[in-house]
Amino acid sequence: MTAATPPEPPAPPPGAPGTLLLLVRHGVTPTTGRVLPGRAPGLHLSDAGRAQAEKVAERLGDLQVDAVYSSPLERAVETAEPTAARAGRNVTHDDGLLECDFGDWTGAALADVAALPEWQTVQHSPSTFRFPNGESFTEMQARIVGSLEALRTAHAGGVVACFSHADPIKAAVAHALGTPLDLFQRIVISPGSVSAISFVDGQAPAVLMVNSTSEPLSGLRGP
């Protein structure tokens, strides 16, 4: 006997707002671009990074931000705080937004790890790589995608600002685009940048913006 085909989910009414997730990379720190800080505590924004955090808050100022979530690491929380203050929200820590666990590579100079044979795997076949005593890229992607799914469900129809790190955001954007993880290194996520994904029930996610660092973001939401 053939099982019944489950009914298609009902289409959203015309003009219904989707859930808008804003993925914000933290601002620059004194070691950005030189060291893999990973999850080591105690790394704070530089003066330039604090200016980037204020700029993000200004760019989001005309949006009704319903919730602000952040990786618990200091550099992400410090980037989130101006946006939360401007929106009148608290910063809620979410472990799903954490940086990748680089394991034994935590704190290593980028120049040193880039000279290792494994670096070619990191760049060209990341789906096959696990950091020594750390996390794999596939685990990292599953973690942030699952967290974003929970957040968009919890704030259906709202605008949610999520402050995270370069590799997790790249992995989330790749997933939303349907891009294989092995190609996610082609996506650039700069410090202080905003990427936007819209979710409407019954439809595939829509990537509205990637690595935006300048224009106001009020246009992401209709009047």
Side-chain angles (χ1 to χ4, degrees), residues 40 59 121 214:
R59 295 177 65 207
T121 304
S214 56

Coordinates of all heavy atoms in Angstrom, one line a residue, residues 40 59 121 214:
A40 N 39.3 31.4 22.3 CA 40.1 31.8 23.4 C 39.5 33.1 24.0 O 39.2 34.0 23.2 CB 41.5 32.1 23.0
R59 N 23.6 51.9 10.9 CA 23.0 51.4 9.7 C 21.7 50.7 9.9 O 20.8 50.6 9.1 CB 24.0 50.5 9.0 CG 25.2 51.1 8.5 CD 26.2 50.2 7.9 NE 25.6 49.6 6.7 CZ 25.9 48.4 6.2 NH1 26.8 47.6 6.9 NH2 25.3 48.0 5.1
T121 N 43.8 21.8 2.3 CA 42.5 21.1 2.6 C 41.5 22.1 3.1 O 40.3 22.1 2.8 CB 42.6 19.9 3.5 OG1 43.6 19.0 3.0 CG2 41.3 19.2 3.7
S214 N 28.4 49.4 4.0 CA 28.3 50.8 3.9 C 26.9 51.3 4.0 O 26.5 52.1 4.9 CB 28.9 51.3 2.6 OG 28.4 50.6 1.5

